[in-house]
Amino acid sequence: MVTAGSVEGAGLAPKLARIASPRTATVVGVVTLLLLVAGVPLAIATSHQLSGVLGVFAVIALLMPFGVVGVLIGRRQPTNPIGWIMFGVVGAITVSTNASSYAVFAFRMGHPGLPLARVAVALTQCWIALPMLLPLPVLLFPTGRVPSRRWRATLWVYLAICVTFLIGFATKDVAAFTERTVQVDSSGELVTLGGSGKTNPVVPVLFLVFALISLSWVVRQIVAYRRATGDLRQQLKWLMSGGATAIVGFGQAVLFGNSSNATVSLLSLVGFLGGVVAVPIALGVGILKYRLYDIDRIISRTVAYAVVTGLLIGVYVAMIALTTRVIPLSSEVGVAASTLAAVALFAPLRRRVQQRVDRRFNRANYDSAAMVSAFTSRLRDAVQLETVRTDLLTMVSTAVEPAHVALWIRPISR
């Protein structure tokens, strides 16, 4: 059987496998960190507002999970390309952000003679690597191998489309090297003068094929999950949990990101950040197989608290409407009464929701609790010590499934 860390399994040539080593992963991680740090003074120098500097720190915070996961996978499984894809994501966004600040400093702040300034204008387009790289771990998860020839064909089509997009973006930025005067916008990207503004009709078709191939990879993992057992099933649970969290977080950001309510906007931002961070964390845990058995508990707790939060928000809003519009109470009294009602409902509501969620997502824990409850009921009527002993050992073996079970009974001292 081919292992996930083998050269053949990862599909890497021997020479490339020697380059993809734990030492290389450490070096790339350090270089990436230095590039991230180098972007801070550039952002401070080119941003006249605090929001711009905070935006750079937000980008760094979002990229750190990708970098950390890339280092961990690169050091422990250097032949698995998913770790290097994580590095690619961090590197592309870092280079794009730094190049953007450098281009603004050169061409909008009066320093066009800076070295490599025109190159920086072209490198601002490196962000395009982010949507191109993110679908690849879905296909390669968890071993880093393409599962079959059929899926290898979709990968080649996918890469051909990516190369076409890259050529298109590169062609657009040729003017950064040919024009006598370079003009950039506030993000450092080249301002093309005299363009027709028409979109090539081939671009929507390529984008549609790109999206369909990416979606087919997601469907493949869903089908694989339904057929998988053991560790592979747990690994796919991590992948799907991270993907689901990302979808919910991004959807929440789209729906409520522009809300005038500060609390709703903050929750939307937290959901977006959680969605971004969930993807690399889920990939890293799934690939490195770290405490896979906890995924059921994490899923059940996450779903339970999400349901409870939604129900409490609904109760809170309904109580405010009831107390301020139907019942003649002042707004302050209505809000206080609604808050107290929500707090009082939290514990019993969480308990009931958790029980129902455990039946679906954390079945092992639910079955174990049911076994313990049944054993406790039988214990009240038991009178024979041997019966209690046999029943206890059977219950422990079924619920916990240990390799060995022993029961020591202390002799009664006379």
Side-chain angles (χ1 to χ4, degrees), residues 37-383:
V37 174
V40 176
L42 278 174
I44 295 175
T46 57
S47 180
H48 301 288
Q49 296 180 352
L50 180 62
S51 59
V53 179
L54 294 179
V56 173
F57 281 103
V59 171
I60 294 176
L62 291 177
L63 292 179
M64 286 302 292
F66 287 92
V68 171
V69 171
V71 171
L72 291 175
I73 298 176
R75 286 188 58 83
R76 298 191 181 186
Q77 295 187 19
T79 55
N80 191 323
I82 295 179
W84 305 103
I85 292 173
M86 296 291 102
F87 280 131
V89 170
V90 179
I93 300 302
T94 302
V95 170
S96 177
T97 304
N98 292 355
S100 174
S101 300
Y102 194 78
V104 169
F105 188 74
F107 295 108
R108 288 181 68 91
M109 300 182 68
H111 304 88
L114 288 174
L116 302 178
R118 292 174 180 261
V119 176
V121 174
L123 291 178
T124 57
Q125 301 291 335
C126 285
W127 62 265
I128 191 63
L130 176 64
M132 293 180 179
L133 290 175
L134 283 181
L136 290 176
V138 177
L139 173 67
L140 301 175
F141 184 87
T143 62
R145 292 185 294 121
V146 181
S148 66
R149 290 184 178 180
R150 178 181 59 183
W151 294 108
R152 189 175 292 111
T154 65
L155 176 61
W156 282 113
V157 175
Y158 181 90
L159 294 177
I161 294 175
C162 291
V163 171
T164 304
F165 281 140
L166 289 175
I167 292 174
F169 275 86
T171 303
K172 173 186 174 183
D173 287 332
V174 168
F177 303 97
T178 59
E179 295 291 334
R180 189 178 190 89
T181 303
V182 175
Q183 296 183 18
V184 298
D185 56 19
S186 58
S187 63
E189 294 188 5
L190 182 68
V191 176
T192 304
L193 301 177
S196 61
K198 295 182 179 179
T199 303
N200 192 320
V202 179
V203 173
V205 177
L206 292 179
F207 181 79
L208 178 61
V209 176
F210 178 92
L212 290 176
I213 292 176
S214 302
L215 182 61
S216 70
W217 293 349
V218 175
V219 173
R220 185 195 78 83
Q221 292 289 13
I222 295 174
V223 174
Y225 169 75
R226 294 177 64 88
R227 299 174 179 174
T229 58
D231 277 355
L232 178 59
R233 187 177 180 86
Q234 299 297 85
Q235 288 175 304
L236 293 175
K237 277 187 180 180
W238 276 102
L239 175 64
M240 293 182 182
S241 300
T245 303
I247 292 173
V248 172
F250 297 157
Q252 182 180 349
V254 171
L255 292 176
F256 306 110
N258 296 324
S259 174
S260 57
N261 189 300
T263 303
V264 175
S265 297
L266 179 60
L267 291 176
S268 174
L269 177 61
V270 172
F272 174 79
L273 296 178
V276 173
V277 172
V279 175
I281 292 177
L283 288 172
V285 174
I287 292 172
L288 300 176
K289 298 184 180 182
Y290 179 72
R291 296 176 65 87
L292 289 178
Y293 55 83
D294 280 343
I295 181 61
D296 292 325
R297 183 179 296 274
I298 293 173
I299 293 175
S300 67
R301 294 298 183 270
T302 302
V303 172
Y305 278 100
V307 172
V308 170
T309 301
L311 291 175
L312 288 180
I313 290 176
V315 170
Y316 183 71
V317 173
M319 287 290 294
I320 289 180
L322 177 65
T323 55
T324 58
R325 297 183 181 181
V326 180
I327 302 175
L329 295 176
S330 64
S331 59
E332 291 80 4
V333 175
V335 171
S338 303
T339 304
L340 292 175
V343 171
L345 286 174
F346 176 77
L349 186 62
R350 189 202 66 82
R351 193 181 307 113
R352 289 182 177 273
V353 170
Q354 189 67 67
Q355 290 175 353
R356 292 183 177 273
V357 170
D358 281 345
R359 294 181 185 179
R360 176 64 182 86
F361 294 99
N362 195 13
R363 191 71 196 183
N365 180 67
Y366 174 76
D367 292 342
S368 299
M371 292 176 188
V372 172
S373 178
F375 172 74
T376 304
S377 300
R378 293 193 302 269
L379 188 61
R380 297 191 186 100
D381 302 326
V383 293

